[in-house]
Amino acid sequence: MKILHWPPFYAPTVGGIENQLLTVVPLLRDRGYQNTVLASIGPDCTDPLRSHRGIDIHRLPFREAVQGQSPLQIMQVRRQLATLKAEVRPDLIHIHFSGPESWFHLQTLAAWPCPTVVTIHNSIENHGPIASNDQSVVGALIRGAAWTIAVSKYSLTELHTALPEMADRSSVVYNAVEIPAVSVERPHPLRLGLIGRVTPQKNPLDAIEAMALLHATHPQAELLVVGDGVLMPALKQRVVELGLENVVHCVGSVDPDKVGDYIASCHAILMPSKNEGLPLVSMEAAFAGVPLVATPVDGLTDIVLPEITGLSVPVGNVVALAAAARRLLDDGQLRNELGKAFRSHVTAIGSVEKTVDGLDAIYQRAIAEFAE
């Protein structure tokens, strides 16, 4: 069976959805699926790959067409997509977003009829009000899907509240993360991590402000920033303004295979996000036994149980973020207890095998029902 996976971007662009697919797609291939990837051209994709790890990749300028608002370019991209669907002839299309590219899919349904599976990776509220009778692109995409996947119980509940008719055509499939076999020796001085895209959604500047407060009492503590994004220039500027150049280390984007090593080298991960689906970094931190200091938003509430598997702080409360980080730096026993409980809790709900099993069952069902 042929699956056309459609994420926002793909390798070499680095991000949670992209890294998730890099793990899952080869395992689906091992189960007999033929996989092809379709994605937008990423902002850092100066030399687009046409294949990666044996998987064919097709890229079209979806986002450029939408952002440029050029009717001619939009029509050209739509024709290219229709041609691509007819050439690939997938048995199922799995869309890993609910953004502007969805319009192109809806406009080319007739080019190659097949079932669609949609995974919602972020809060559905990010896309505006969605209801059973609305005319939005995202609403139409989800209502027309054979199955919708949420990456957390929170997101699934949110979906059912907005679209009750999806209750029997949706389920949770947690993100896939390889469980590390060994722990990395954590360095001294103490190290915190801020890992992921440096974007407004992730609220990274709050971590820098918290680090300034923490530096007054823990001058040797480090903050490791792994990732890149539109807020990186502002983040670096604020680091200089606060005199934190010697303790905040910006690594930039790294190979997905190396992210786990950076996580494991930290004593705790800061996640001051404004909204989330269920970030892959949080799952990787859990399997490494590294506790989170996180905001109680969306899917993070599935795994960060306050004072049990991590520490929870209000969105935008820099003082609380610094205080929680200080607690973990000062109390090694608390760190270890939270880390062990975090790993145990997430291991019980998510693993690569469970993710692939879940996708396999959904694909089989959707394809069989479409053929009837």
Side-chain angles (χ1 to χ4, degrees), residues 120 122-136 138-140 142-143 148 153-167 169-170:
I120 302 172
N122 285 302
S123 171
I124 199 171
E125 294 177 352
N126 291 352
H127 307 287
I130 294 177
S132 298
N133 60 350
D134 79 349
Q135 301 300 313
S136 70
V138 174
I142 294 174
R143 288 196 303 272
T148 297
K153 291 180 180 178
Y154 178 96
S155 294
L156 187 66
T157 300
E158 191 181 46
L159 172 64
H160 290 172
T161 299
L163 299 172
E165 65 270 31
M166 295 301 301
R169 291 188 289 130
S170 56

Side-chain angles (χ1 to χ4, degrees), residues 4-284:
L4 179 61
H5 300 273
W6 192 348
F9 306 109
Y10 201 62
T13 300
V14 175
I17 299 175
E18 293 76 26
N19 294 352
Q20 160 88 349
L21 286 178
L22 289 175
T23 298
V24 168
V25 170
L27 297 176
L28 288 170
R29 180 177 56 194
D30 293 343
R31 297 196 182 193
Y33 290 98
Q34 298 178 48
N35 301 279
T36 301
V37 172
L38 169 65
S40 287
I41 300 171
D44 52 356
C45 196
T46 55
D47 184 19
L49 301 174
R50 297 187 180 276
S51 67
H52 186 68
R53 299 179 183 177
I55 307 298
D56 290 338
I57 305 170
H58 300 273
R59 304 181 199 268
L60 292 175
F62 299 110
R63 299 205 169 195
E64 291 88 336
V66 172
Q67 292 167 358
Q69 298 182 339
S70 165
L72 177 60
Q73 187 178 21
I74 289 173
M75 295 301 295
Q76 288 175 337
V77 173
R78 190 173 76 168
R79 285 196 295 269
Q80 290 174 315
L81 176 59
T83 300
L84 178 63
K85 285 183 176 182
E87 290 176 350
V88 175
R89 301 166 66 91
D91 294 293
L92 181 144
I93 296 175
H94 187 169
I95 296 179
H96 295 263
F97 59 86
S98 48
E101 296 94 336
S102 307
W103 181 85
F104 289 98
H105 174 62
L106 295 174
Q107 291 294 311
T108 55
L109 290 174
W112 181 255
C114 68
T116 301
V117 170
V118 177
T119 293
I120 302 172
H121 288 272
N122 285 302
S123 171
I124 199 171
E125 294 177 352
N126 291 352
H127 307 287
I130 294 177
S132 298
N133 60 350
D134 79 349
Q135 301 300 313
S136 70
V137 171
V138 174
L141 175 70
I142 294 174
R143 288 196 303 272
W147 201 267
T148 297
I149 297 171
V151 297
S152 69
K153 291 180 180 178
Y154 178 96
S155 294
L156 187 66
T157 300
E158 191 181 46
L159 172 64
H160 290 172
T161 299
L163 299 172
E165 65 270 31
M166 295 301 301
D168 61 350
R169 291 188 289 130
S170 56
S171 61
V172 173
V173 177
Y174 286 102
N175 288 329
V177 179
E178 295 282 1
I179 301 176
V182 295
S183 297
V184 175
E185 185 67 25
R186 294 183 175 92
H188 295 282
L190 297 175
R191 173 182 288 178
L192 300 171
L194 180 67
I195 301 178
R197 285 188 173 136
V198 187
T199 61
Q201 171 201 347
K202 303 291 186 179
N203 202 23
L205 293 181
D206 272 13
I208 303 303
E209 300 298 331
M211 197 64 194
L213 297 177
L214 192 61
H215 186 62
T217 56
H218 295 68
Q220 299 304 314
E222 302 177 340
L223 177 65
L224 189 69
V225 182
V226 180
D228 206 349
V230 296
L231 289 183
M232 182 57 85
L235 185 147
K236 289 182 175 179
Q237 179 180 346
R238 191 60 179 149
V239 167
V240 173
E241 291 171 351
L242 294 170
L244 299 175
E245 300 98 313
N246 293 329
V247 295
V248 176
H249 308 291
C250 297
V251 177
S253 295
V254 299
D255 188 283
D257 294 336
K258 301 297 183 183
V259 172
D261 292 339
Y262 282 106
I263 291 172
S265 74
C266 297
H267 294 81
I269 301 296
L270 304 183
M271 199 163 285
S273 305
K274 295 179 179 178
N275 57 73
E276 285 286 2
L278 186 59
L280 202 61
V281 167
S282 67
M283 304 289 279
E284 291 179 285

